[in-house]
Every structure is written in C-alpha cells, then in structure tokens.
Amino acid sequence: MKAKVLVIGANGQLGTVLVKELQHHHGLDNVIASDIKKSHDFMGTFEVLDATNRMQLSDVVSKYGITQIYHLAAILSAKGEANPLATWDLNMRMLFNVLEVARIHELDKVFFPSSIAVFGEDAPWVNTPNYAYLNPATVYGMSKAAGEQWAQYYFLRYGLDVRSLRYPGVIGHQSLPGGGTTDYAVEIFHKAVLEEEFVCFLNEDTTLPMIFMDDAIRATLELMKAPKKNIKIRTSYNLAGSSFSPEDIVAEIRNYYPEFKVKYEPDFRQDIAARWPKSINDVEATLDWGWKPKYDLEMIVSTMIEKLKEQYI
Ligand code: AKB
C-alpha cells in the first residue's frame, strides 16, 4: 500500500524542506502539508490545521487516508521561556493528539522530533551518550524529554511505530528558524552575505552540536525507512552532525568575507546554551540504522554562502 503522509508544522524551518523531500519520495499527491496558516507559494496539497484540535486532526487523517504523520510543530527553547505553562500545554497537547489519532486510526508510523534540549547540567557535556541523565532546564526541553517517554509508551502499550531523533541545531539556507537557541547559526550567514554586522546572542566560545539541513533531512528519512526490527530505541536517537562555536563559524566565514564584523551581546539564551551538550555521541544511530553525517563546518559554511548569495542576488 502506498504511504499517505501528513506533515504537521510544514511551514517551519525543517518542515519547509522535509515536505519537498517527502513529495519527491512519495509523490506530490501522497504528501499533505499542514500548518496553522497556508504559505502563499506552496506547491501540493495543504490543509490549514491546528494540531491542538484533536477532531480537526482526526478529520484530516480520515479525509486523506493518512498512514504516516511527521509531527514537527512545537514552541522552541528560547520562545518557550516567555510563557512556560502555555508552552508545555501546547507542545504536550499537540503530541497527545498526534499519538491518540495515530493509535485510533492505526497509522503505520509516526515521526516525533526530539532535541539536544532534553539534556541538562547532569549529562556529560562532551560526547553526550544516548542514555545520559535527562534534566532539561527549559520547558521546551522538558516537553521533549516527557514526549520521548510518551512515544515509547505508545510503542510498548499499543505497538504504535513512533520513531524519534534528538536534533542538534539545524543550519539550512532554505528556511529560517524561529524561537530557538541555535538560531544564531543561521542568521549569521545571512548577515555575512549581506555584508552587515552580526550581533551574536551567545558568547563567542559557546560550542553546541549542530547539523546541516541536508544531513538532518537524510537522517529523518533514513530513520523512517529503516526496518522496524532495527529501531531499538523507542524514546529518541542521539544524532550528531558537527560541533562548533560562534567564533569557529566567524573564522571560517572570514575566509570568504575578511571584513565580516561581529559583536557579542549574550542574553538569556546564553544560559540555555550553557546547559546543553557540546558534542553528541550517536553510536546507536550508526549501529541500528547506519547513520553517518556528511557535512563538517567547512562544507556547511561554503554551501551556506554559495546558496545564500544566489538567493540575495
Ligand atoms: C532550539 O534551539 O531550541 C532548537 C533545538 C536545538 O531543539 N533548535
């Protein structure tokens, strides 16, 4: 049977790119993109959908005969701190709706993105293992850590095939992030290419795990395509790309723009980043479904600059 895929949060940083890849893999008519607003230049089938509304979600699943959901919508780490209870409520309500609708409609697969934000001060900061202690310090991280347990619960209790990755900060030229602590690592490239000064909200030496968009998308599709028996972790898989700090990116960008100016004005997001891992050990993803990243910092910087120059010219 052909897969019918619903993407929730299709207008977001990852969704924008993932929808196109899924359309390519499954066929334009077999991918239903959804978000709370329609994006004006979208090609394909789009449903305006508020995933906090279970009935609405259930109706979309019935209408298209959906067999898989990619649930990408969430309030991220930095934005979530402005309104902690509302963030918890929204992130958890959407996840419960997705899990329940998937269970009731007996869907084949669900993808639930987790994040490096599940880790806190008590996890090893370097080469953080998959099974490290989770004590997140943001409400977003708390919702992802709890969400991972619910994903595993639905698998163990109901046999629902939920699969998950702990994304590092995602860097891509196709879309903009919103509300995250790693967002600086996308904005910095736009400023460099526009030859404007960049004001960085993290300290220059704050190393964080990052991943290039192409790697993040490939990891998602490889995880979802892997045989069920290979998926041994039902909470979420650690996923590594490459780790670096603002000053590492700046040094690399200056190979292209020697005059690039950067000012460091750390704000509350520095405190969030300071409790996250510096690098990730993703050996389980490699062993279970063959994960291997392709992009290092040098390749990320050269690709970002090349692609953004095309966009701005
Ligand atoms: C954020 O910064 O909140 C996200 C994430 C690492 O999950 N990009």
Side-chain angles (χ1 to χ4, degrees):
M1 197 180 76
K2 265 203 164 285
K4 275 269 183 188
V5 181
L6 173 65
V7 180
I8 299 171
N11 297 346
Q13 186 198 12
L14 209 64
T16 311
V17 188
L18 186 65
V19 165
K20 291 205 177 91
E21 276 306 306
L22 289 169
Q23 287 175 333
H24 182 72
H25 276 75
H26 296 285
L28 198 67
D29 295 339
N30 294 317
V31 179
I32 316 306
S34 75
D35 212 309
I36 46 175
K37 281 191 203 132
K38 182 157 187 204
S39 72
H40 54 279
D41 52 359
F42 183 77
M43 294 268 292
T45 310
F46 196 99
E47 280 282 334
V48 174
L49 169 64
D50 174 0
T52 64
N53 183 330
R54 192 175 298 175
M55 278 307 292
Q56 218 188 342
L57 175 58
S58 182
D59 287 349
V60 170
V61 167
S62 299
K63 176 173 168 190
Y64 293 99
I66 296 297
T67 61
Q68 298 185 13
I69 297 180
Y70 288 72
H71 168 48
L72 306 180
I75 299 188
L76 300 189
S77 58
K79 190 168 177 217
E81 294 308 288
N83 206 336
L85 297 187
T87 299
W88 173 265
D89 189 48
L90 194 106
N91 286 359
M92 297 312 291
R93 193 189 295 259
M94 289 193 295
L95 176 61
F96 289 145
N97 286 347
V98 168
L99 292 174
E100 267 303 271
V101 167
R103 178 184 73 80
I104 290 162
H105 289 262
E106 298 180 359
L107 300 198
D108 293 341
K109 281 180 205 167
V110 172
F111 178 74
F112 163 65
S114 186
S115 159
I116 55 159
V118 295
F119 297 114
E121 277 177 328
D122 294 330
W125 282 4
V126 176
N127 213 19
T128 308
N130 216 108
Y131 294 105
Y133 188 66
L134 305 186
N135 60 335
T138 61
V139 71
Y140 165 70
M142 287 158 58
S143 72
K144 290 297 182 189
E148 290 184 2
Q149 299 303 317
W150 278 104
Q152 178 173 255
Y153 181 85
Y154 267 72
F155 172 72
L156 294 173
R157 174 87 203 263
Y158 305 115
L160 184 64
D161 189 357
V162 191
R163 305 182 181 196
S164 176
L165 294 174
R166 289 176 180 152
Y167 289 116
V170 178
I171 301 178
H173 51 84
Q174 304 92 328
S175 53
L176 287 171
T181 303
T182 57
D183 294 8
Y184 91 86
V186 177
E187 288 156 19
I188 195 168
F189 290 103
H190 288 261
K191 292 292 185 188
V193 169
L194 292 168
E195 299 190 36
E196 290 173 11
E197 183 183 36
F198 178 62
V199 182
C200 186
F201 58 72
L202 297 185
N203 283 331
E204 62 264 42
D205 58 352
T206 307
T207 297
L208 288 173
M210 300 283 182
I211 192 166
F212 194 51
M213 181 66 85
D214 298 36
D215 274 344
I217 298 288
R218 187 168 53 80
T220 310
L221 298 179
E222 285 178 7
L223 173 78
M224 290 299 273
K225 273 192 295 195
K228 199 171 171 183
K229 64 174 178 18
N230 290 25
I231 309 301
K232 308 225 171 72
I233 297 183
R234 288 296 177 168
T235 49
S236 192
Y237 277 96
N238 273 9
L239 182 73
S242 178
S243 279
F244 39 79
S245 65
E247 65 189 355
D248 296 331
I249 307 183
V250 171
E252 195 59 42
I253 287 178
R254 285 196 179 133
N255 292 328
Y256 301 82
Y257 298 96
E259 305 298 317
F260 183 43
K261 284 196 182 47
V262 182
K263 203 159 69 182
Y264 293 95
E265 290 182 0
D267 63 18
F268 72 101
R269 288 168 281 193
Q270 175 59 38
D271 298 334
I272 297 177
R275 293 187 169 89
W276 283 358
K278 296 189 185 307
S279 57
I280 294 290
N281 183 328
D282 60 358
V283 64
E284 286 82 358
T286 306
L287 291 175
D288 292 358
W289 44 275
W291 168 243
K292 199 171 180 309
K294 283 194 184 143
Y295 285 80
D296 60 11
L297 176 60
E298 209 181 303
M299 288 165 74
I300 294 175
V301 172
S302 67
T303 314
M304 284 297 285
I305 289 178
E306 186 196 319
K307 296 289 178 188
L308 287 179
K309 268 164 92 177
E310 286 168 17
Q311 273 178 40
Y312 281 115
I313 289 163

